[in-house]
Amino acid sequence: MLALAEDAAGGIVDVLGSGRIPLGLAPDWHLDFRSGHRFPEDWFWRIDHRDPSRPSDVKVPWEHARFHAGLWLGQAWRLTGEARYAEAFAELAGSFLAANPPGWGIHWLCPMELAIRAVNWIVTLDLLADAPALGPSLRAGMHASLLWHGRVIRGNLEVGRHVGNHYVADLVGLLALGMLFGETVEGADWRRLAHRELEAQIRWQVHADGVDFEVHELPPAGGGTAAGRTGSPANGRGRFSSGYARGSVRCSTSRWPIRGRTARARSSVMRMMGAYSLRAGTHPWGPSRCLGWVGALLGRDDARHAAGLAVGDALWLAGPSRVAAGPSAPAAPSGGSRAFPSGGFYVLRSRDAHLIPDAGALGFDGTLGHGHFDTLSLEAWAAGAPLLVDRGCYCYTSDFDSYVAQVSARGHNTLTIDDAEPADLVGFWRIRADRTAPVVERWITSERPDGVEEWIGTHGGYGTVGAPLRHRRAVRFERARLAWEIDDTVTGVGRHRATIRWHCAPAVQVRALGGAWELAHAHARFRLESSVELELTDGWVAPRYGVRVPVAVLAGDGGGPLPLRVATGWCSSGREADGELAGTTEGRGQGGLQPREAWSPEARHCRITPDPRPPRRPGTPR
């Protein structure tokens, strides 16, 4: 935290993958410094901030204007007493007030941004309550601006046909502002409205299995914190179940897999109550801090135990006495496989591996939102590191082509048909209809260390009314041998072409082994075989917003009359020994991939009929 505060005091920012950029303490608040585009200084309702033809990203100036840096400066001043931290915040806040009078410019455009900034300001002003650097005129100016923050949020609540995390963030900000201005008529109205609506939204937006209805592993923005403040048993139950959902997908290294739906990983819940001192996705503890909040604010020892050392935020929120777990605190459930059927996530897990197939809707409530075209896609983590990963979220409005690429089914570990998508994308975050209608047909788990687990899901996203198609994916996991079999089948009528893609994690090295492939990371080797010929191609994933890293992608395709079937299997073929990767690359025997004849009868003869037509360039019609 002190390192972050040191950068903030020097006017250095690092937002959304930009790297450390010296903007100073009086930056151009209307500039997207990554693209060079400057948003107009005008009344906010006149500003178009997401023109696909213009390469710019409004989230860059928005992120800086959320004033996370203010929190770090306030915390640093509280810990050290050094005046320079408070002086830096005073200069930064003063420059913002001068450049952004009420209603003027992009920083009044999105109510969620106002809500996040308002909470951060309120907490920072409390941290700096005794700091001489914040004179009466600056405090009065910030309070006047905060009053207008509340008025703009109240008059522009992001509620309509699609109610999601933006609306919850609005309500959390309005609740904080209502508490600040509680002795005024407006403040009392804001507090009553926000409390009532938060109660309703927490019940509405969190499924019974603990997954947010926007299909995040993260709980809805601000929901759990509001629950802690209001003390509602219903709120606490909804938030805590989300914490348990998170515990079930955590790796033994306490890292969460990168999921496309988690852009998602920069969820505003992490920002809401002002103690988020390390950016989401950049710290090895990652979202474990949410479990720390649950334990501290709701008094749950099992959540405190599961949070481990990731309790920095909870310490600032609740104090040391509410953070420490009791000596007999039970562990949160995390050791076995678990289903989250409402959210569509299923976790096939052993002691040192897990695989997560996705059978959820593409988005929520009829819109894509933060979703991707990842139906029946999967991610795998094994032997201490990620193996197969989701593409993640690289950008929003700065690059429409990159946005389409990150959303596309071609960027996920699933089967595509005829180079098409399972839904029609009609702009940022919008689809014409979700045709997938995924169904989980089979889910068998085992508690035995040498047990076998199975999962089967189907969807119809590639079909039409006159020509229905169905993709069926069967997953088989042998826990003891770290062996997976994936059987993909396409049923329907006519001739079609199917393509399978496997996106390896950035640290995975890939090399050919005769008719198979070796996937190796620092801890183990895996042998991968497929019933179609796979080619090694280049791809990318976004480990966090604004950052792309190259990865290896194994892809293969073929076509013919339906049904078409593809089988893929991979298994551990060696573990690290004395700093070297050891094991048999032949992949036979204990720890190796079973011979194809030993696979299940359904998978044994999975072959795609070769397509006699010549290859075509992408995008050309058949």
Side-chain angles (χ1 to χ4, degrees), residues 66 110-120 149 153-154 156-159 163-177 194 197-198 201-202 205 214 219-226 266-273:
R66 288 178 171 186
C110 176
M112 183 179 75
E113 299 301 317
L114 276 71
I116 295 170
R117 180 166 55 250
V119 173
N120 284 342
H149 276 61
I153 294 170
R154 177 65 180 88
N156 298 273
L157 289 169
E158 296 168 274
V159 59
V163 179
N165 67 320
H166 277 238
Y167 184 45
V168 175
D170 299 347
L171 295 172
V172 173
L174 205 59
L175 178 62
L177 289 161
E197 285 296 295
L198 276 171
Q201 290 302 314
I202 289 168
Q205 294 197 29
E214 290 194 53
T225 306
R266 305 193 64 83
S267 172
S268 57
V269 64
M270 300 300 220
R271 317 291 193 177
M272 279 292 98
M273 298 313 293

Side-chain angles (χ1 to χ4, degrees), residues 37 39-40 44-52 54 56 109:
H37 175 75
F39 292 91
F44 71 83
W45 56 84
R46 296 177 179 173
I47 299 175
D48 176 15
H49 69 292
R50 54 182 185 185
D51 181 355
R54 182 189 62 219
S56 63
L109 184 62

Side-chain angles (χ1 to χ4, degrees), residues 97-175:
L97 293 175
N100 297 276
W104 191 256
I106 54 170
H107 298 298
W108 296 89
L109 184 62
C110 176
M112 183 179 75
E113 299 301 317
L114 276 71
I116 295 170
R117 180 166 55 250
V119 173
N120 284 342
W121 275 9
I122 291 169
V123 176
T124 303
L125 286 171
D126 184 63
L127 290 168
L128 297 174
D130 303 323
L134 272 67
S137 61
L138 178 61
R139 292 182 187 275
M142 293 188 70
H143 276 85
S145 182
L146 283 168
L147 182 63
W148 276 104
H149 276 61
R151 289 169 175 169
V152 173
I153 294 170
R154 177 65 180 88
N156 298 273
L157 289 169
E158 296 168 274
V159 59
R161 177 186 170 191
H162 306 297
V163 179
N165 67 320
H166 277 238
Y167 184 45
V168 175
D170 299 347
L171 295 172
V172 173
L174 205 59
L175 178 62

